[in-house]
Amino acid sequence: MPTFRLYDTQSRSVKPVETQEPGHLKFYCCGPTVYSYAHIGNFRTFIASDLVVRTATALGWRVTYVSNITDVGHMTQDDVADAGGEDKMEKALKSKEGDAFANIWDLARHYADAFEDDWNRLNLQQPTVRPRATEHMREQIVAIQGLIEEGHAYETPTGVYFRVSSFDEYGKLSGNRDQDSLMRAVRAVVQDDNKEHPADFALWKKDDKHLMQWFSPWGWGFPGWHIECSAMSRTYLGDTLDLHAGGEDLVFPHHECEIAQSECLTHSPFCGHWMHVRFLQVDGEKMAKSAGNFYTVRDLLEKGHDPMALRLSLMSTPYGKPANFTMQSLKDAMSTIERFREVEKRVRAAGISESADGEPDTETQRVYDEMLEAMCDDLNTSVAIAKAIEGARLFLRDSDLTTSQAQSAQWFLRKTDALLGVVGGTATESLVEEPVVEGRPISALIQERAEAKASRDFAQADAIRQMVDSAGIELRDGPNGTEWRRKVT
RNA sequence: GGCGCCGUAGCCAAGUGGUAAGGCAGAGGACUGCAAAUCCUUUAUGCGGCGGUUCGAAUCCGCCCGGCGCCUCCA
């Protein structure tokens, strides 16, 4: 088995993923704040995490995978807001889209459910636990109390703050170590005169007007953003994690603050390996919710794009490099997905059932081994996908597969899907409604065209194909009749 | 100011010292009533520029040019 190696932000080098318990990976990935629909950039991060889980599993490891949902405490910056900005959830409720919701809990539930739908459509593995900040209030309050008791936090008239100066190693992850740059990083608008130092960050906000509030030793209020991850990761993974992932923007302050809180509280190393996913750009431009130039998963799927093609296009550039999403890249990915499906069809045509196991021949085994090796090499998805295509081509060379070839192909598809997650998900096709062209269902038109072809009336057959083509439907004649598919634009 | 990333064919992109993977698009061919799909063949004397190290550099070093990200709104 190859060694699983990933880039580690803190040591700035690629190093082996080490587990405390042999063969058991404790993995935490920072999830979304559910104030809106997640966009494809969010999912680039979650797909990278998914690939960590799949690769570890392929190596035979057990993975305890925790990915949270932030539904309170994540502040937005706003020029008119007072210290600390505004809670993103509250802001969303006040927006135009927020009118659709009865209250903030309803809004949180809606976007969290939508997030999980998108997650499933993209064939992401279920986390072992998907904790929510609002459901772990006790753990957060206890953690804050612990930090106060140890002198790492203090109460002010507006909240409880972490005392950055009490943790010598603050800045070890991001490199933001010197006080001058920390000072400069603090915007004037978030100053709270009661803080001892501008870099101190909120653990608890006192606010009896907040739409989500809890009673604490410091009165009514709500937790700061960073404490939830420290509290929840400790609850489910213990004091020390093996691997922690998130988007590159989280390096500072979020993960830096998590380290400070957790290590001060537990007196143990928080995490030995940090993985950060580079931002996704769209058509060469930065994508951000605030910029409004983002695609959501549901936008693209509603337009008829295939979820597996979207997944593949989002993972085709390795996570550590900036990726550029374009409609062309989505189309390119679709061609690859169709090749996998073509292999699947040929396997079925050879009489191998979906539930059959299959055995690889040596060539197939070799290609798979190389694919796994690429994934172990810091998730080199570019090479792994090339290997997946190489494997598919082994079975597309001959039009009919022998039984042993088909068994080999079956094995390869299974293994490739388990590792890359891009073969499955074909079931979604059948959910698409049958299109109607000129008032007639497509199946009737296909039938009519088949009859025209049978009587060698090719002009009529071509006229029908032309008609549905202009309606955006493509017809493909195959050995088992004619299939239709929506053309992707 | 601090921290970090990238520049490889028309496009996406692998390769980090031994003589340029893979995909898309393009070209030719097989197959097909015609298409589509699939298969086969083909497409970079060169890896932003200039120097240097080396028997040998896309790969290491230096400088320059260009693009990008984070630094209390973002995954």
Side-chain angles (χ1 to χ4, degrees):
Chain A
M1 283 288 180
T3 303
F4 189 12
R5 292 152 53 84
L6 288 173
Y7 185 83
D8 168 45
T9 306
Q10 189 171 329
S11 63
R12 307 232 146 95
S13 61
V14 177
K15 63 179 203 183
V17 176
E18 283 170 10
T19 59
Q20 300 157 84
E21 292 172 30
H24 178 199
L25 181 69
K26 295 179 180 177
F27 179 38
Y28 189 94
C29 174
C30 282
T33 302
V34 286
Y35 62 98
S36 179
Y37 294 112
H39 56 63
I40 57 175
N42 298 114
F43 277 99
R44 183 181 192 213
T45 299
F46 304 129
I47 288 170
S49 288
D50 185 63
L51 293 171
V52 167
V53 174
R54 288 171 182 272
T55 301
T57 304
L59 291 171
W61 296 2
R62 182 160 80 89
V63 182
T64 303
Y65 179 28
V66 179
S67 187
N68 69 297
I69 281 181
T70 298
D71 50 5
V72 67
H74 195 167
M75 311 307 281
T76 180
Q77 190 49 63
D78 189 313
D79 291 344
V80 299
D82 58 7
E86 192 178 3
D87 189 298
K88 291 188 164 207
M89 303 294 292
E90 287 202 5
K91 189 182 177 189
L93 187 65
K94 283 189 236 163
S95 73
K96 189 156 59 77
E97 291 73 24
D99 289 346
F101 304 104
N103 57 48
I104 198 159
W105 300 94
D106 190 27
L107 178 145
R109 196 177 310 116
H110 175 82
Y111 287 123
D113 287 350
F115 175 71
E116 293 198 50
D117 284 346
D118 292 346
W119 181 283
N120 293 331
R121 296 300 297 279
L122 292 178
N123 202 20
L124 294 161
Q125 303 265 292
Q126 285 309 311
T128 315
V129 190
R130 195 193 295 283
R132 299 188 187 201
T134 53
E135 293 172 357
H136 294 79
M137 208 46 60
R138 190 185 68 81
E139 289 85 345
Q140 295 179 73
I141 289 171
V142 168
I144 296 166
Q145 281 181 306
L147 288 169
I148 293 176
E149 282 164 20
E150 302 240 7
H152 293 294
Y154 56 91
E155 186 178 357
T156 74
T158 57
V160 179
Y161 290 91
F162 184 89
R163 184 179 281 123
V164 167
S165 64
S166 73
F167 183 58
D168 286 344
E169 295 178 83
Y170 192 77
K172 66 180 175 182
L173 178 67
S174 62
N176 286 341
R177 300 209 64 142
D178 76 287
Q179 291 300 304
D180 284 348
S181 70
L182 278 176
M183 288 287 281
R184 217 174 290 116
V186 178
R187 295 186 193 176
V189 73
V190 299
Q191 291 306 315
D192 175 344
D193 293 340
N194 295 298
K195 291 202 298 189
E196 292 177 3
H197 188 281
D200 292 352
F201 56 89
L203 298 170
W204 186 265
K205 289 280 201 184
K206 297 180 182 178
D207 185 353
D208 61 7
K209 300 288 189 297
H210 199 261
L211 294 177
M212 289 172 152
Q213 54 174 296
W214 291 264
F215 193 71
S216 75
W218 317 285
W220 289 96
F222 62 98
W225 174 35
H226 313 305
I227 195 67
E228 58 160 300
C229 287
S230 287
M232 293 190 290
S233 65
R234 189 183 194 190
T235 300
Y236 297 105
L237 296 171
D239 289 352
T240 302
L241 328 178
D242 298 315
L243 180 66
H244 193 134
E248 62 171 321
D249 59 313
L250 298 183
V251 174
F252 190 91
H254 188 57
H255 289 159
E256 198 73 75
C257 294
E258 279 185 45
I259 292 171
Q261 294 161 345
S262 293
E263 298 197 348
C264 287
L265 196 59
T266 67
H267 309 288
S268 303
F270 178 49
C271 181
H273 206 132
W274 290 86
M275 169 184 172
H276 291 99
V277 181
R278 295 297 308 265
F279 270 160
L280 181 75
Q281 292 181 269
V282 171
D283 296 326
E285 301 271 316
K286 181 187 174 182
M287 173 161 77
K289 288 172 186 172
S290 56
N293 67 338
F294 65 90
Y295 293 105
T296 63
V297 171
R298 55 200 52 225
D299 284 343
L300 292 167
L301 299 190
E302 278 165 17
K303 282 181 192 152
H305 294 288
D306 189 284
M308 289 303 94
L310 178 56
R311 178 184 166 103
L312 185 66
S313 70
L314 291 174
M315 61 187 258
S316 58
T317 303
Y319 76 92
K321 293 190 173 179
N324 187 22
F325 178 83
T326 60
M327 279 301 152
Q328 185 59 50
S329 67
L330 191 52
K331 276 194 216 172
D332 293 353
M334 191 62 217
S335 308
T336 300
I337 295 298
E338 293 198 346
R339 286 179 131 171
F340 297 142
R341 290 185 184 159
E342 184 64 27
V343 175
E344 202 159 36
K345 274 186 205 162
R346 293 184 188 198
V347 171
R348 298 292 158 263
I352 305 293
S353 78
E354 261 178 80
S355 54
D357 278 335
E359 265 303 304
D361 56 65
T362 54
E363 181 76 348
T364 305
Q365 177 78 54
R366 191 209 94 227
V367 174
Y368 173 76
D369 289 347
E370 287 172 357
M371 192 193 310
L372 179 57
E373 206 170 310
M375 291 302 284
C376 286
D377 180 17
D378 199 22
L379 302 183
N380 192 333
T381 44
S382 297
V383 170
I385 292 165
K387 291 298 167 188
I389 292 168
E390 184 183 338
R393 289 174 61 145
L394 293 175
F395 307 107
L396 292 170
R397 253 192 307 251
D398 308 305
S399 52
D400 291 307
L401 297 178
T402 65
T403 302
S404 74
Q405 278 180 313
Q407 282 175 341
S408 215
Q410 169 82 345
W411 179 89
F412 186 76
L413 288 174
R414 285 290 185 69
K415 297 291 274 186
T416 300
D417 193 42
L419 185 58
L420 304 181
V422 289
V423 179
T426 50
T428 54
E429 274 188 309
S430 60
L431 299 175
V432 177
E433 276 181 46
E434 184 178 3
V436 174
V437 178
E438 311 260 318
R440 304 178 56 197
I442 194 79
S443 55
L445 290 165
I446 287 173
Q447 177 62 31
E448 187 181 322
R449 179 165 166 275
E451 285 160 12
K453 280 174 66 181
S455 55
R456 303 194 67 79
D457 183 358
F458 297 121
Q460 172 65 8
D462 289 347
I464 292 170
R465 180 160 60 199
Q466 183 54 46
M467 184 174 85
V468 299
D469 186 82
S470 47
I473 311 279
E474 184 177 65
L475 296 184
R476 291 181 180 176
D477 296 336
N480 302 314
T482 302
E483 296 178 354
W484 62 268
R485 67 198 319 122
R486 281 201 173 82
K487 287 194 293 186
V488 177
T489 48

